PDB file of all heavy atoms in Angstrom:
ATOM      1  N   LEU A   1      88.693  99.272 107.266  1.00 83.00           N
ATOM      2  CA  LEU A   1      88.641  99.671 105.863  1.00 83.00           C
ATOM      3  C   LEU A   1      89.847  99.122 105.104  1.00 83.00           C
ATOM      4  O   LEU A   1      89.704  98.571 104.010  1.00 83.00           O
ATOM      5  CB  LEU A   1      88.596 101.196 105.735  1.00 83.00           C
ATOM      6  CG  LEU A   1      88.716 101.740 104.308  1.00 83.00           C
ATOM      7  CD1 LEU A   1      87.517 101.336 103.474  1.00 83.00           C
ATOM      8  CD2 LEU A   1      88.867 103.246 104.324  1.00 83.00           C
ATOM      9  N   LEU A   2      91.034  99.241 105.685  1.00 87.00           N
ATOM     10  CA  LEU A   2      92.234  98.748 105.015  1.00 87.00           C
ATOM     11  C   LEU A   2      92.243  97.224 104.914  1.00 87.00           C
ATOM     12  O   LEU A   2      92.791  96.674 103.963  1.00 87.00           O
ATOM     13  CB  LEU A   2      93.491  99.238 105.720  1.00 87.00           C
ATOM     14  CG  LEU A   2      93.743 100.738 105.595  1.00 87.00           C
ATOM     15  CD1 LEU A   2      94.953 101.137 106.417  1.00 87.00           C
ATOM     16  CD2 LEU A   2      93.933 101.138 104.137  1.00 87.00           C
ATOM     17  N   ALA A   3      91.636  96.541 105.875  1.00 87.00           N
ATOM     18  CA  ALA A   3      91.540  95.081 105.795  1.00 87.00           C
ATOM     19  C   ALA A   3      90.651  94.669 104.615  1.00 87.00           C
ATOM     20  O   ALA A   3      90.914  93.669 103.953  1.00 87.00           O
ATOM     21  CB  ALA A   3      90.995  94.510 107.097  1.00 87.00           C
ATOM     22  N   ARG A   4      89.623  95.477 104.346  1.00 87.00           N
ATOM     23  CA  ARG A   4      88.726  95.187 103.216  1.00 87.00           C
ATOM     24  C   ARG A   4      89.320  95.648 101.887  1.00 87.00           C
ATOM     25  O   ARG A   4      89.040  95.063 100.847  1.00 87.00           O
ATOM     26  CB  ARG A   4      87.370  95.847 103.431  1.00 87.00           C
ATOM     27  CG  ARG A   4      86.526  95.178 104.499  1.00 87.00           C
ATOM     28  CD  ARG A   4      85.090  95.696 104.491  1.00 87.00           C
ATOM     29  NE  ARG A   4      84.997  97.141 104.599  1.00 87.00           N
ATOM     30  CZ  ARG A   4      84.790  97.811 105.732  1.00 87.00           C
ATOM     31  NH1 ARG A   4      84.660  97.153 106.860  1.00 87.00           N
ATOM     32  NH2 ARG A   4      84.716  99.117 105.738  1.00 87.00           N
ATOM     33  N   GLN A   5      90.116  96.724 101.946  1.00 88.00           N
ATOM     34  CA  GLN A   5      90.674  97.294 100.706  1.00 88.00           C
ATOM     35  C   GLN A   5      92.172  97.598 100.889  1.00 88.00           C
ATOM     36  O   GLN A   5      92.574  98.764 100.874  1.00 88.00           O
ATOM     37  CB  GLN A   5      89.938  98.571 100.336  1.00 88.00           C
ATOM     38  CG  GLN A   5      88.481  98.364  99.998  1.00 88.00           C
ATOM     39  CD  GLN A   5      87.805  99.681  99.687  1.00 88.00           C
ATOM     40  OE1 GLN A   5      87.810 100.610 100.493  1.00 88.00           O
ATOM     41  NE2 GLN A   5      87.226  99.772  98.507  1.00 88.00           N
ATOM     42  N   PRO A   6      92.999  96.583 101.046  1.00 90.00           N
ATOM     43  CA  PRO A   6      94.422  96.840 101.261  1.00 90.00           C
ATOM     44  C   PRO A   6      95.104  97.526 100.080  1.00 90.00           C
ATOM     45  O   PRO A   6      96.132  98.178 100.244  1.00 90.00           O
ATOM     46  CB  PRO A   6      95.012  95.449 101.520  1.00 90.00           C
ATOM     47  CG  PRO A   6      94.023  94.498 100.952  1.00 90.00           C
ATOM     48  CD  PRO A   6      92.692  95.166 101.046  1.00 90.00           C
ATOM     49  N   ASP A   7      94.505  97.438  98.909  1.00 89.00           N
ATOM     50  CA  ASP A   7      95.104  98.102  97.753  1.00 89.00           C
ATOM     51  C   ASP A   7      95.001  99.621  97.827  1.00 89.00           C
ATOM     52  O   ASP A   7      95.570 100.327  96.991  1.00 89.00           O
ATOM     53  CB  ASP A   7      94.540  97.561  96.443  1.00 89.00           C
ATOM     54  CG  ASP A   7      93.032  97.735  96.307  1.00 89.00           C
ATOM     55  OD1 ASP A   7      92.352  97.928  97.338  1.00 89.00           O
ATOM     56  OD2 ASP A   7      92.544  97.678  95.167  1.00 89.00           O
ATOM     57  N   LEU A   8      94.298 100.161  98.844  1.00 89.00           N
ATOM     58  CA  LEU A   8      94.339 101.606  99.082  1.00 89.00           C
ATOM     59  C   LEU A   8      95.751 102.026  99.489  1.00 89.00           C
ATOM     60  O   LEU A   8      96.184 103.140  99.198  1.00 89.00           O
ATOM     61  CB  LEU A   8      93.357 102.016 100.187  1.00 89.00           C
ATOM     62  CG  LEU A   8      91.871 101.944  99.850  1.00 89.00           C
ATOM     63  CD1 LEU A   8      91.035 102.199 101.098  1.00 89.00           C
ATOM     64  CD2 LEU A   8      91.528 102.938  98.759  1.00 89.00           C
ATOM     65  N   LEU A   9      96.457 101.137 100.168  1.00 91.00           N
ATOM     66  CA  LEU A   9      97.841 101.409 100.574  1.00 91.00           C
ATOM     67  C   LEU A   9      98.798 101.309  99.394  1.00 91.00           C
ATOM     68  O   LEU A   9      99.761 102.060  99.297  1.00 91.00           O
ATOM     69  CB  LEU A   9      98.301 100.413 101.640  1.00 91.00           C
ATOM     70  CG  LEU A   9      97.792 100.632 103.034  1.00 91.00           C
ATOM     71  CD1 LEU A   9      98.134  99.440 103.914  1.00 91.00           C
ATOM     72  CD2 LEU A   9      98.376 101.898 103.616  1.00 91.00           C
ATOM     73  N   GLU A  10      98.530 100.345  98.536  1.00 91.00           N
ATOM     74  CA  GLU A  10      99.436 100.064  97.424  1.00 91.00           C
ATOM     75  C   GLU A  10      98.703  99.166  96.429  1.00 91.00           C
ATOM     76  O   GLU A  10      98.133  98.152  96.830  1.00 91.00           O
ATOM     77  CB  GLU A  10     100.669  99.352  97.980  1.00 91.00           C
ATOM     78  CG  GLU A  10     101.687  98.924  96.993  1.00 91.00           C
ATOM     79  CD  GLU A  10     102.847  98.245  97.704  1.00 91.00           C
ATOM     80  OE1 GLU A  10     103.531  98.907  98.501  1.00 91.00           O
ATOM     81  OE2 GLU A  10     103.049  97.048  97.465  1.00 91.00           O
ATOM     82  N   PRO A  11      98.725  99.511  95.150  1.00 93.00           N
ATOM     83  CA  PRO A  11      98.050  98.661  94.158  1.00 93.00           C
ATOM     84  C   PRO A  11      98.588  97.227  94.209  1.00 93.00           C
ATOM     85  O   PRO A  11      99.785  97.002  94.331  1.00 93.00           O
ATOM     86  CB  PRO A  11      98.403  99.324  92.819  1.00 93.00           C
ATOM     87  CG  PRO A  11      98.701 100.746  93.170  1.00 93.00           C
ATOM     88  CD  PRO A  11      99.329 100.700  94.543  1.00 93.00           C
ATOM     89  N   GLY A  12      97.679  96.275  94.143  1.00 93.00           N
ATOM     90  CA  GLY A  12      98.056  94.859  94.126  1.00 93.00           C
ATOM     91  C   GLY A  12      98.202  94.231  95.496  1.00 93.00           C
ATOM     92  O   GLY A  12      98.390  93.025  95.611  1.00 93.00           O
ATOM     93  N   LEU A  13      98.106  95.016  96.561  1.00 94.00           N
ATOM     94  CA  LEU A  13      98.245  94.487  97.913  1.00 94.00           C
ATOM     95  C   LEU A  13      96.995  93.690  98.278  1.00 94.00           C
ATOM     96  O   LEU A  13      95.877  94.126  98.025  1.00 94.00           O
ATOM     97  CB  LEU A  13      98.426  95.651  98.890  1.00 94.00           C
ATOM     98  CG  LEU A  13      99.272  95.420 100.131  1.00 94.00           C
ATOM     99  CD1 LEU A  13     100.677  94.996  99.776  1.00 94.00           C
ATOM    100  CD2 LEU A  13      99.301  96.658 100.985  1.00 94.00           C
ATOM    101  N   ARG A  14      97.202  92.501  98.864  1.00 92.00           N
ATOM    102  CA  ARG A  14      96.078  91.675  99.296  1.00 92.00           C
ATOM    103  C   ARG A  14      96.424  91.007 100.618  1.00 92.00           C
ATOM    104  O   ARG A  14      97.581  90.659 100.858  1.00 92.00           O
ATOM    105  CB  ARG A  14      95.713  90.645  98.239  1.00 92.00           C
ATOM    106  CG  ARG A  14      96.805  89.630  97.983  1.00 92.00           C
ATOM    107  CD  ARG A  14      96.562  88.826  96.711  1.00 92.00           C
ATOM    108  NE  ARG A  14      97.536  87.772  96.544  1.00 92.00           N
ATOM    109  CZ  ARG A  14      98.813  87.924  96.212  1.00 92.00           C
ATOM    110  NH1 ARG A  14      99.308  89.134  96.018  1.00 92.00           N
ATOM    111  NH2 ARG A  14      99.618  86.899  96.073  1.00 92.00           N
ATOM    112  N   LEU A  15      95.429  90.820 101.478  1.00 91.00           N
ATOM    113  CA  LEU A  15      95.660  90.204 102.775  1.00 91.00           C
ATOM    114  C   LEU A  15      96.131  88.772 102.618  1.00 91.00           C
ATOM    115  O   LEU A  15      95.713  88.065 101.705  1.00 91.00           O
ATOM    116  CB  LEU A  15      94.387  90.202 103.622  1.00 91.00           C
ATOM    117  CG  LEU A  15      93.967  91.506 104.274  1.00 91.00           C
ATOM    118  CD1 LEU A  15      92.756  91.281 105.165  1.00 91.00           C
ATOM    119  CD2 LEU A  15      95.076  92.117 105.080  1.00 91.00           C
ATOM    120  N   VAL A  16      96.986  88.347 103.538  1.00 89.00           N
ATOM    121  CA  VAL A  16      97.418  86.956 103.569  1.00 89.00           C
ATOM    122  C   VAL A  16      96.206  86.105 103.919  1.00 89.00           C
ATOM    123  O   VAL A  16      95.388  86.475 104.776  1.00 89.00           O
ATOM    124  CB  VAL A  16      98.552  86.766 104.600  1.00 89.00           C
ATOM    125  CG1 VAL A  16      98.821  85.301 104.877  1.00 89.00           C
ATOM    126  CG2 VAL A  16      99.812  87.460 104.114  1.00 89.00           C
ATOM    127  N   ALA A  17      96.059  84.962 103.249  1.00 82.00           N
ATOM    128  CA  ALA A  17      94.927  84.066 103.470  1.00 82.00           C
ATOM    129  C   ALA A  17      95.424  82.679 103.857  1.00 82.00           C
ATOM    130  O   ALA A  17      96.570  82.318 103.574  1.00 82.00           O
ATOM    131  CB  ALA A  17      94.079  83.988 102.205  1.00 82.00           C
ATOM    132  N   ASP A  18      94.548  81.910 104.501  1.00 77.00           N
ATOM    133  CA  ASP A  18      94.907  80.541 104.846  1.00 77.00           C
ATOM    134  C   ASP A  18      94.700  79.635 103.629  1.00 77.00           C
ATOM    135  O   ASP A  18      94.368  80.096 102.542  1.00 77.00           O
ATOM    136  CB  ASP A  18      94.131  80.056 106.072  1.00 77.00           C
ATOM    137  CG  ASP A  18      92.620  79.992 105.860  1.00 77.00           C
ATOM    138  OD1 ASP A  18      92.155  80.072 104.699  1.00 77.00           O
ATOM    139  OD2 ASP A  18      91.902  79.860 106.856  1.00 77.00           O
ATOM    140  N   LYS A  19      94.848  78.331 103.826  1.00 76.00           N
ATOM    141  CA  LYS A  19      94.741  77.378 102.704  1.00 76.00           C
ATOM    142  C   LYS A  19      93.337  77.317 102.119  1.00 76.00           C
ATOM    143  O   LYS A  19      93.153  76.890 100.989  1.00 76.00           O
ATOM    144  CB  LYS A  19      95.191  75.999 103.157  1.00 76.00           C
ATOM    145  CG  LYS A  19      96.671  75.952 103.455  1.00 76.00           C
ATOM    146  CD  LYS A  19      97.109  74.599 103.935  1.00 76.00           C
ATOM    147  CE  LYS A  19      98.599  74.665 104.265  1.00 76.00           C
ATOM    148  NZ  LYS A  19      99.113  73.427 104.779  1.00 76.00           N
ATOM    149  N   LYS A  20      92.343  77.755 102.901  1.00 74.00           N
ATOM    150  CA  LYS A  20      90.958  77.776 102.412  1.00 74.00           C
ATOM    151  C   LYS A  20      90.603  79.130 101.804  1.00 74.00           C
ATOM    152  O   LYS A  20      89.455  79.438 101.591  1.00 74.00           O
ATOM    153  CB  LYS A  20      89.999  77.445 103.548  1.00 74.00           C
ATOM    154  CG  LYS A  20      90.186  76.038 104.083  1.00 74.00           C
ATOM    155  CD  LYS A  20      89.231  75.763 105.214  1.00 74.00           C
ATOM    156  CE  LYS A  20      89.466  74.366 105.755  1.00 74.00           C
ATOM    157  NZ  LYS A  20      88.605  74.060 106.899  1.00 74.00           N
ATOM    158  N   VAL A  21      91.611  79.978 101.586  1.00 72.00           N
ATOM    159  CA  VAL A  21      91.486  81.299 100.987  1.00 72.00           C
ATOM    160  C   VAL A  21      90.723  82.273 101.892  1.00 72.00           C
ATOM    161  O   VAL A  21      90.177  83.269 101.443  1.00 72.00           O
ATOM    162  CB  VAL A  21      90.881  81.240  99.562  1.00 72.00           C
ATOM    163  CG1 VAL A  21      91.076  82.541  98.817  1.00 72.00           C
ATOM    164  CG2 VAL A  21      91.488  80.109  98.748  1.00 72.00           C
ATOM    165  N   LYS A  22      90.677  81.997 103.176  1.00 75.00           N
ATOM    166  CA  LYS A  22      90.060  82.910 104.136  1.00 75.00           C
ATOM    167  C   LYS A  22      91.120  83.909 104.597  1.00 75.00           C
ATOM    168  O   LYS A  22      92.184  83.505 105.068  1.00 75.00           O
ATOM    169  CB  LYS A  22      89.530  82.132 105.334  1.00 75.00           C
ATOM    170  CG  LYS A  22      88.919  83.015 106.401  1.00 75.00           C
ATOM    171  CD  LYS A  22      88.501  82.207 107.609  1.00 75.00           C
ATOM    172  CE  LYS A  22      88.028  83.166 108.691  1.00 75.00           C
ATOM    173  NZ  LYS A  22      87.904  82.494 109.972  1.00 75.00           N
ATOM    174  N   PRO A  23      90.868  85.222 104.463  1.00 74.00           N
ATOM    175  CA  PRO A  23      91.861  86.220 104.891  1.00 74.00           C
ATOM    176  C   PRO A  23      92.159  86.104 106.392  1.00 74.00           C
ATOM    177  O   PRO A  23      91.236  86.062 107.204  1.00 74.00           O
ATOM    178  CB  PRO A  23      91.199  87.555 104.573  1.00 74.00           C
ATOM    179  CG  PRO A  23      90.146  87.243 103.567  1.00 74.00           C
ATOM    180  CD  PRO A  23      89.690  85.850 103.872  1.00 74.00           C
ATOM    181  N   ILE A  24      93.435  86.029 106.733  1.00 80.00           N
ATOM    182  CA  ILE A  24      93.838  85.938 108.142  1.00 80.00           C
ATOM    183  C   ILE A  24      94.837  87.038 108.506  1.00 80.00           C
ATOM    184  O   ILE A  24      95.340  87.075 109.613  1.00 80.00           O
ATOM    185  CB  ILE A  24      94.470  84.565 108.462  1.00 80.00           C
ATOM    186  CG1 ILE A  24      95.699  84.316 107.572  1.00 80.00           C
ATOM    187  CG2 ILE A  24      93.442  83.458 108.338  1.00 80.00           C
ATOM    188  CD1 ILE A  24      96.532  83.132 107.977  1.00 80.00           C
ATOM    189  N   GLY A  25      95.105  87.952 107.590  1.00 83.00           N
ATOM    190  CA  GLY A  25      96.152  88.937 107.785  1.00 83.00           C
ATOM    191  C   GLY A  25      95.780  90.179 108.568  1.00 83.00           C
ATOM    192  O   GLY A  25      96.613  91.061 108.727  1.00 83.00           O
ATOM    193  N   ALA A  26      94.570  90.292 109.086  1.00 86.00           N
ATOM    194  CA  ALA A  26      94.183  91.471 109.870  1.00 86.00           C
ATOM    195  C   ALA A  26      94.259  91.144 111.353  1.00 86.00           C
ATOM    196  O   ALA A  26      93.650  90.177 111.811  1.00 86.00           O
ATOM    197  CB  ALA A  26      92.770  91.916 109.502  1.00 86.00           C
ATOM    198  N   GLY A  27      95.035  91.937 112.094  1.00 87.00           N
ATOM    199  CA  GLY A  27      95.163  91.721 113.533  1.00 87.00           C
ATOM    200  C   GLY A  27      95.842  90.416 113.882  1.00 87.00           C
ATOM    201  O   GLY A  27      95.441  89.745 114.823  1.00 87.00           O
ATOM    202  N   LEU A  28      96.854  90.057 113.147  1.00 88.00           N
ATOM    203  CA  LEU A  28      97.558  88.788 113.354  1.00 88.00           C
ATOM    204  C   LEU A  28      98.450  88.865 114.590  1.00 88.00           C
ATOM    205  O   LEU A  28      99.295  89.750 114.698  1.00 88.00           O
ATOM    206  CB  LEU A  28      98.402  88.465 112.119  1.00 88.00           C
ATOM    207  CG  LEU A  28      99.142  87.142 112.123  1.00 88.00           C
ATOM    208  CD1 LEU A  28      98.157  85.978 112.075  1.00 88.00           C
ATOM    209  CD2 LEU A  28     100.081  87.066 110.934  1.00 88.00           C
ATOM    210  N   SER A  29      98.259  87.935 115.523  1.00 89.00           N
ATOM    211  CA  SER A  29      99.090  87.880 116.733  1.00 89.00           C
ATOM    212  C   SER A  29     100.338  87.054 116.467  1.00 89.00           C
ATOM    213  O   SER A  29     100.257  85.984 115.859  1.00 89.00           O
ATOM    214  CB  SER A  29      98.307  87.255 117.886  1.00 89.00           C
ATOM    215  OG  SER A  29      97.268  88.106 118.293  1.00 89.00           O
ATOM    216  N   THR A  30     101.483  87.576 116.933  1.00 91.00           N
ATOM    217  CA  THR A  30     102.746  86.851 116.807  1.00 91.00           C
ATOM    218  C   THR A  30     103.437  86.852 118.168  1.00 91.00           C
ATOM    219  O   THR A  30     103.002  87.543 119.090  1.00 91.00           O
ATOM    220  CB  THR A  30     103.686  87.511 115.780  1.00 91.00           C
ATOM    221  OG1 THR A  30     104.213  88.719 116.341  1.00 91.00           O
ATOM    222  CG2 THR A  30     102.976  87.816 114.467  1.00 91.00           C
ATOM    223  N   ALA A  31     104.525  86.139 118.264  1.00 93.00           N
ATOM    224  CA  ALA A  31     105.294  86.079 119.510  1.00 93.00           C
ATOM    225  C   ALA A  31     105.933  87.423 119.852  1.00 93.00           C
ATOM    226  O   ALA A  31     106.310  87.651 121.002  1.00 93.00           O
ATOM    227  CB  ALA A  31     106.364  84.999 119.406  1.00 93.00           C
ATOM    228  N   VAL A  32     106.063  88.317 118.874  1.00 94.00           N
ATOM    229  CA  VAL A  32     106.692  89.623 119.115  1.00 94.00           C
ATOM    230  C   VAL A  32     105.690  90.773 119.120  1.00 94.00           C
ATOM    231  O   VAL A  32     106.070  91.927 119.184  1.00 94.00           O
ATOM    232  CB  VAL A  32     107.828  89.903 118.098  1.00 94.00           C
ATOM    233  CG1 VAL A  32     108.965  88.921 118.278  1.00 94.00           C
ATOM    234  CG2 VAL A  32     107.313  89.885 116.666  1.00 94.00           C
ATOM    235  N   GLY A  33     104.393  90.450 119.055  1.00 91.00           N
ATOM    236  CA  GLY A  33     103.362  91.476 119.072  1.00 91.00           C
ATOM    237  C   GLY A  33     102.428  91.344 117.880  1.00 91.00           C
ATOM    238  O   GLY A  33     102.668  90.562 116.965  1.00 91.00           O
ATOM    239  N   ASP A  34     101.361  92.110 117.916  1.00 92.00           N
ATOM    240  CA  ASP A  34     100.354  92.048 116.858  1.00 92.00           C
ATOM    241  C   ASP A  34     100.821  92.771 115.593  1.00 92.00           C
ATOM    242  O   ASP A  34     101.521  93.781 115.661  1.00 92.00           O
ATOM    243  CB  ASP A  34      99.046  92.673 117.322  1.00 92.00           C
ATOM    244  CG  ASP A  34      98.365  91.860 118.412  1.00 92.00           C
ATOM    245  OD1 ASP A  34      98.721  90.673 118.584  1.00 92.00           O
ATOM    246  OD2 ASP A  34      97.486  92.406 119.090  1.00 92.00           O
ATOM    247  N   ILE A  35     100.389  92.239 114.460  1.00 94.00           N
ATOM    248  CA  ILE A  35     100.597  92.880 113.163  1.00 94.00           C
ATOM    249  C   ILE A  35      99.231  93.391 112.729  1.00 94.00           C
ATOM    250  O   ILE A  35      98.265  92.622 112.650  1.00 94.00           O
ATOM    251  CB  ILE A  35     101.159  91.887 112.128  1.00 94.00           C
ATOM    252  CG1 ILE A  35     102.558  91.425 112.549  1.00 94.00           C
ATOM    253  CG2 ILE A  35     101.170  92.505 110.736  1.00 94.00           C
ATOM    254  CD1 ILE A  35     103.134  90.333 111.675  1.00 94.00           C
ATOM    255  N   ASP A  36      99.120  94.698 112.476  1.00 93.00           N
ATOM    256  CA  ASP A  36      97.827  95.272 112.091  1.00 93.00           C
ATOM    257  C   ASP A  36      97.313  94.630 110.805  1.00 93.00           C
ATOM    258  O   ASP A  36      96.172  94.206 110.735  1.00 93.00           O
ATOM    259  CB  ASP A  36      97.925  96.783 111.947  1.00 93.00           C
ATOM    260  CG  ASP A  36      98.206  97.466 113.285  1.00 93.00           C
ATOM    261  OD1 ASP A  36      97.685  96.987 114.323  1.00 93.00           O
ATOM    262  OD2 ASP A  36      98.943  98.462 113.295  1.00 93.00           O
ATOM    263  N   LEU A  37      98.159  94.591 109.777  1.00 93.00           N
ATOM    264  CA  LEU A  37      97.814  93.915 108.521  1.00 93.00           C
ATOM    265  C   LEU A  37      99.038  93.176 108.006  1.00 93.00           C
ATOM    266  O   LEU A  37     100.135  93.740 107.979  1.00 93.00           O
ATOM    267  CB  LEU A  37      97.383  94.914 107.446  1.00 93.00           C
ATOM    268  CG  LEU A  37      96.105  95.695 107.651  1.00 93.00           C
ATOM    269  CD1 LEU A  37      95.920  96.702 106.517  1.00 93.00           C
ATOM    270  CD2 LEU A  37      94.910  94.778 107.709  1.00 93.00           C
ATOM    271  N   LEU A  38      98.834  91.941 107.593  1.00 95.00           N
ATOM    272  CA  LEU A  38      99.881  91.189 106.910  1.00 95.00           C
ATOM    273  C   LEU A  38      99.359  90.884 105.520  1.00 95.00           C
ATOM    274  O   LEU A  38      98.287  90.287 105.364  1.00 95.00           O
ATOM    275  CB  LEU A  38     100.228  89.902 107.647  1.00 95.00           C
ATOM    276  CG  LEU A  38     101.316  89.047 106.998  1.00 95.00           C
ATOM    277  CD1 LEU A  38     102.628  89.830 106.890  1.00 95.00           C
ATOM    278  CD2 LEU A  38     101.531  87.755 107.755  1.00 95.00           C
ATOM    279  N   ALA A  39     100.091  91.344 104.534  1.00 94.00           N
ATOM    280  CA  ALA A  39      99.623  91.237 103.160  1.00 94.00           C
ATOM    281  C   ALA A  39     100.741  90.711 102.264  1.00 94.00           C
ATOM    282  O   ALA A  39     101.871  90.516 102.697  1.00 94.00           O
ATOM    283  CB  ALA A  39      99.168  92.614 102.669  1.00 94.00           C
ATOM    284  N   ARG A  40     100.366  90.496 101.021  1.00 94.00           N
ATOM    285  CA  ARG A  40     101.331  90.173  99.966  1.00 94.00           C
ATOM    286  C   ARG A  40     101.190  91.245  98.892  1.00 94.00           C
ATOM    287  O   ARG A  40     100.095  91.712  98.597  1.00 94.00           O
ATOM    288  CB  ARG A  40     101.057  88.804  99.380  1.00 94.00           C
ATOM    289  CG  ARG A  40     101.379  87.674 100.364  1.00 94.00           C
ATOM    290  CD  ARG A  40     101.942  86.525  99.589  1.00 94.00           C
ATOM    291  NE  ARG A  40     102.213  85.384 100.422  1.00 94.00           N
ATOM    292  CZ  ARG A  40     103.419  84.846 100.540  1.00 94.00           C
ATOM    293  NH1 ARG A  40     104.440  85.366  99.900  1.00 94.00           N
ATOM    294  NH2 ARG A  40     103.608  83.785 101.276  1.00 94.00           N
ATOM    295  N   ASP A  41     102.341  91.613  98.321  1.00 94.00           N
ATOM    296  CA  ASP A  41     102.297  92.617  97.268  1.00 94.00           C
ATOM    297  C   ASP A  41     102.116  91.945  95.914  1.00 94.00           C
ATOM    298  O   ASP A  41     102.002  90.714  95.827  1.00 94.00           O
ATOM    299  CB  ASP A  41     103.544  93.509  97.312  1.00 94.00           C
ATOM    300  CG  ASP A  41     104.847  92.755  97.116  1.00 94.00           C
ATOM    301  OD1 ASP A  41     104.835  91.634  96.554  1.00 94.00           O
ATOM    302  OD2 ASP A  41     105.894  93.290  97.513  1.00 94.00           O
ATOM    303  N   GLY A  42     102.108  92.736  94.859  1.00 92.00           N
ATOM    304  CA  GLY A  42     101.885  92.233  93.513  1.00 92.00           C
ATOM    305  C   GLY A  42     102.897  91.205  93.049  1.00 92.00           C
ATOM    306  O   GLY A  42     102.596  90.364  92.211  1.00 92.00           O
ATOM    307  N   SER A  43     104.108  91.227  93.636  1.00 92.00           N
ATOM    308  CA  SER A  43     105.130  90.254  93.252  1.00 92.00           C
ATOM    309  C   SER A  43     105.204  89.077  94.225  1.00 92.00           C
ATOM    310  O   SER A  43     106.082  88.235  94.111  1.00 92.00           O
ATOM    311  CB  SER A  43     106.497  90.937  93.122  1.00 92.00           C
ATOM    312  OG  SER A  43     106.886  91.473  94.369  1.00 92.00           O
ATOM    313  N   GLY A  44     104.266  89.017  95.195  1.00 92.00           N
ATOM    314  CA  GLY A  44     104.211  87.883  96.113  1.00 92.00           C
ATOM    315  C   GLY A  44     104.967  88.050  97.415  1.00 92.00           C
ATOM    316  O   GLY A  44     104.918  87.182  98.275  1.00 92.00           O
ATOM    317  N   GLY A  45     105.669  89.164  97.588  1.00 94.00           N
ATOM    318  CA  GLY A  45     106.409  89.393  98.822  1.00 94.00           C
ATOM    319  C   GLY A  45     105.496  89.769  99.971  1.00 94.00           C
ATOM    320  O   GLY A  45     104.410  90.320  99.765  1.00 94.00           O
ATOM    321  N   PHE A  46     105.927  89.475 101.194  1.00 95.00           N
ATOM    322  CA  PHE A  46     105.153  89.840 102.376  1.00 95.00           C
ATOM    323  C   PHE A  46     105.295  91.333 102.672  1.00 95.00           C
ATOM    324  O   PHE A  46     106.376  91.907 102.499  1.00 95.00           O
ATOM    325  CB  PHE A  46     105.645  89.068 103.603  1.00 95.00           C
ATOM    326  CG  PHE A  46     105.204  87.634 103.648  1.00 95.00           C
ATOM    327  CD1 PHE A  46     106.091  86.616 103.356  1.00 95.00           C
ATOM    328  CD2 PHE A  46     103.905  87.303 103.995  1.00 95.00           C
ATOM    329  CE1 PHE A  46     105.701  85.286 103.403  1.00 95.00           C
ATOM    330  CE2 PHE A  46     103.496  85.983 104.047  1.00 95.00           C
ATOM    331  CZ  PHE A  46     104.404  84.964 103.752  1.00 95.00           C
ATOM    332  N   VAL A  47     104.198  91.929 103.153  1.00 96.00           N
ATOM    333  CA  VAL A  47     104.200  93.325 103.580  1.00 96.00           C
ATOM    334  C   VAL A  47     103.546  93.393 104.965  1.00 96.00           C
ATOM    335  O   VAL A  47     102.394  92.996 105.129  1.00 96.00           O
ATOM    336  CB  VAL A  47     103.435  94.241 102.601  1.00 96.00           C
ATOM    337  CG1 VAL A  47     103.477  95.691 103.087  1.00 96.00           C
ATOM    338  CG2 VAL A  47     104.003  94.124 101.192  1.00 96.00           C
TER     339      VAL A  47
END
């Protein structure tokens, strides 16, 4: 639900997307562990 509607957490929040505008911010694997959601806020910062 939060991947589909990240603005439920905070107005203006949107999932990080790739260059083709496909959302990739849900369940993102990193070298230090998985990130449940990676988003950008209304001012462009990462969340």
